Amino acid sequence: MRHVITGLLVSVFGCAVLHAEILTIPVVGQGWQIKFEGPVLAVESQEYRADGLTYRGNAGRFNVSAFVGAPVGKGGDSKACRDHFWKLASQNPMLQKDGVKQWSTPMCECVESVTKDESPGEESTQAHINCYFELLGKWVDVHASVISPTNDDKQMLKKLAESLFYCTFSRFKGPGQQFSLGSMGRVQIDVPSTWRAGNHCVTQGIGTGEQHTLSLFSITDPKKSWQLTFFNSSVRYKTLNDIQQTAQRFVPAGSVEGEGQMQEIKLKQGVGCHAEYTDTSPSEAGKAKAVSTAFVAPVPDVLGTISIVAEDAKDPDFLAAIQALGTIEWEQAKAPKGQE
């Protein structure tokens, strides 16, 4: 269900809305996270394993990835990690060897490099930064790159490396967590204590303005996920029936139950509904998942699509996340001076 909705929305969106913020890569199950300054992402994906993860994110010409895993051979410190991974990366035939620079920060070992593809009709240049470090028995390679880089882009990559740090999962303090959604406004939700806010991804739509996706993650289990996507809608949702009609178009015919029963979400403002069901087509073969799919319109012209996933419908974190949907509040963006 989530993939169907995401596919419909993302298919009409292009380049990311670029400005810098602190990006987060949660190493769920290991108890820590990686943070650094970089462009706001448009899309991201994470694949978890027992010993670590593979992460990828994109924002127009900017790409970032991270690998966390067990050390190779006899292991070693951050320099051993760098030496191993850079030995492999330096075999790239497009690498411009005179553009390689190595340096260190208190957190990681860094390698700057440039690659050029000089194939006929495919000429392109790409600037790279790799940040290597060892932490709690894991080797980490964070890689960022920009296609057709400007001098500002190269400085951005260097700043990314200089800003990189790692820490335990931080907890938000306060009655509700607020997220700024650009020109659309601001949303607040009481995030349960076992969930943490991840990255805020932004894409530019055709006719709908910005699309904002908020990702939340479990601090202990990578198999749990929670995503909220908000965008301006040409359809105005004023009543429960209005939003239920839209939600029914996405009833999961492939679920165990065969249908999704849309129940009302009693928002503090606006209208919303959700359905809980068991997904029979999970990414991990042979294991069904509990899914809650929700649609909310905190104001008539803003639609939010929400997906919460866990392995068990009785999971307390899953239930807490569903309950938290009723705490969603919306604050309209203030008009610029002179346009009130």
Side-chain angles (χ1 to χ4, degrees):
M1 171 64 174
R2 179 183 62 180
H3 300 296
V4 173
I5 298 172
T6 302
L8 289 173
L9 296 177
V10 172
S11 63
V12 297
F13 289 88
C15 295
V17 178
L18 294 180
H19 63 270
E21 69 173 31
I22 298 298
L23 303 181
T24 300
I25 301 177
V27 189
V28 178
Q30 305 295 324
W32 51 278
Q33 57 193 337
I34 306 166
K35 289 179 173 285
F36 50 85
E37 186 173 319
V40 175
L41 300 176
V43 293
E44 61 178 359
S45 65
Q46 300 179 75
E47 298 177 10
Y48 289 95
R49 306 178 306 279
D51 65 343
L53 66 83
T54 299
Y55 172 93
R56 293 181 177 86
N58 169 265
R61 295 178 295 111
F62 173 80
N63 291 278
V64 63
S65 64
F67 168 82
V68 179
V72 175
K74 296 181 180 180
D77 60 10
S78 297
K79 290 185 178 179
C81 174
R82 177 201 62 194
D83 292 344
H84 170 77
F85 284 116
W86 181 246
K87 181 179 180 181
L88 299 176
S90 63
Q91 296 175 13
N92 185 343
M94 293 185 289
L95 178 69
Q96 304 299 294
K97 297 188 182 300
D98 57 351
V100 176
K101 300 177 182 177
Q102 293 191 7
W103 45 280
S104 303
T105 77
M107 291 290 185
C108 58
E109 299 296 323
C110 307
V111 180
E112 292 180 65
S113 62
V114 175
T115 56
K116 288 187 178 181
D117 185 350
E118 299 177 329
S119 303
E122 300 291 339
E123 295 89 346
S124 65
T125 300
Q126 197 163 356
H128 305 260
I129 190 80
N130 285 82
C131 304
Y132 304 105
F133 62 91
E134 183 276 338
L135 181 65
L136 299 176
K138 303 295 181 185
W139 273 4
V140 183
D141 175 6
V142 177
H143 169 247
S145 64
V146 179
I147 299 170
S148 302
T150 64
N151 288 334
D152 286 344
D153 292 330
K154 293 178 181 179
Q155 286 300 313
M156 179 270 292
L157 291 178
K158 187 172 183 179
K159 190 171 183 180
L160 181 154
E162 292 172 339
S163 68
L164 185 145
F165 68 102
Y166 30 88
C167 59
T168 56
F169 294 136
S170 54
R171 182 175 180 178
F172 177 80
K173 296 181 180 180
Q177 192 157 354
Q178 292 190 341
F179 303 91
S180 177
L181 305 184
S183 61
M184 293 174 59
R186 184 184 301 271
V187 66
Q188 177 173 301
I189 184 170
D190 293 349
V191 178
S193 61
T194 52
W195 292 88
R196 296 291 186 274
N199 290 324
H200 172 194
C201 296
V202 185
T203 50
Q204 188 69 34
I206 301 175
T208 57
E210 297 171 353
Q211 173 183 303
H212 296 259
T213 297
L214 307 173
S215 297
L216 294 96
F217 59 91
S218 160
I219 60 175
T220 58
D221 189 349
K223 295 178 182 177
K224 300 175 187 177
S225 64
W226 185 359
Q227 284 192 329
L228 306 89
T229 298
F230 293 92
F231 57 95
N232 287 118
S233 173
S234 58
V235 177
R236 294 178 64 82
Y237 299 95
K238 295 183 178 181
T239 69
L240 178 61
N241 183 62
D242 291 339
I243 202 164
Q244 283 181 330
Q245 287 184 5
T246 293
Q248 288 294 345
R249 292 167 50 199
F250 299 96
V251 170
S255 68
V256 170
E257 297 79 5
E259 61 180 3
Q261 297 298 322
M262 290 294 168
Q263 303 175 19
E264 181 181 6
I265 300 174
K266 294 185 178 180
L267 299 174
K268 293 184 177 181
Q269 62 186 113
V271 294
C273 62
H274 77 108
E276 297 172 41
Y277 63 95
T278 306
D279 188 1
T280 57
S281 56
S283 57
E284 189 174 349
K287 286 191 176 182
K289 291 186 177 181
V291 180
S292 174
T293 296
F295 291 77
V296 297
V299 291
D301 59 348
V302 171
L303 181 63
T305 65
I306 302 169
S307 179
I308 307 169
V309 179
E311 290 196 297
D312 185 350
K314 296 181 179 179
D315 185 293
D317 294 343
F318 180 71
L319 297 175
I322 295 172
Q323 186 175 7
L325 298 180
T327 69
I328 290 175
E329 294 185 70
W330 191 267
E331 179 183 331
Q332 290 285 122
K334 294 182 179 179
K337 289 185 178 180
Q339 299 182 18
E340 294 90 343

